[in-house]
Amino acid sequence: MIGAASTVFDQAGYERATLSAISEHAQVTKGALFFHFAAKADLARAVQAEACATSGAALAKLARRETPAFETATAMAHALVGLLETDLTVRAGARLAQEIRTPDDPSLHCHSNWLGALHGILGRARSDGSLLPEVDVRTAAVLMLSMITGTTALPRLPAPRSPREPAGIWLTRMLQLTRPSLSALPPG
């Protein structure tokens, strides 16, 4: 049911998504859907929680790498872009976090979690010298999150202005432009 809800929320957004469309996509009756989720908001929270858990696990795995922390930060950015391109639940959860008022429950707000992970790894980059000393960690984390969300929004732009290349390629280009301002490490 979460997969079906993710599909509908991703395609229609929270307001236009209906429980009828979700139950039809899940191939269950509305009664079966209501047995598990009393309201659309409950289903949206389940999608958001799953999205945060999936993306959080990927970031935690990367955070354990023993490479310069700035390299880990760029790997995290690429991993998130990859998840947003390929994982329907992560993409829907991120969209829901932007569209509906999310309580201060961090398990429901992907962007907040991602910003925290980026801030943490860039703090480590400051400590290990892979982030330039004059760079503000918080600003660098916000910049990276903006690049992640910006590149994944490009495919949703109407043609002909929408670049048709994958978001990962755009992220690589953006990181190449910004890297000299953030890190003295050679591109790798």
Side-chain angles (χ1 to χ4, degrees), residues 81 85 151-155 162-171 173:
V81 165
E85 286 187 311
T151 58
T152 56
L154 290 173
S162 175
R164 295 295 170 211
E165 295 166 297
I169 290 173
W170 284 104
L171 179 63
R173 290 176 179 158

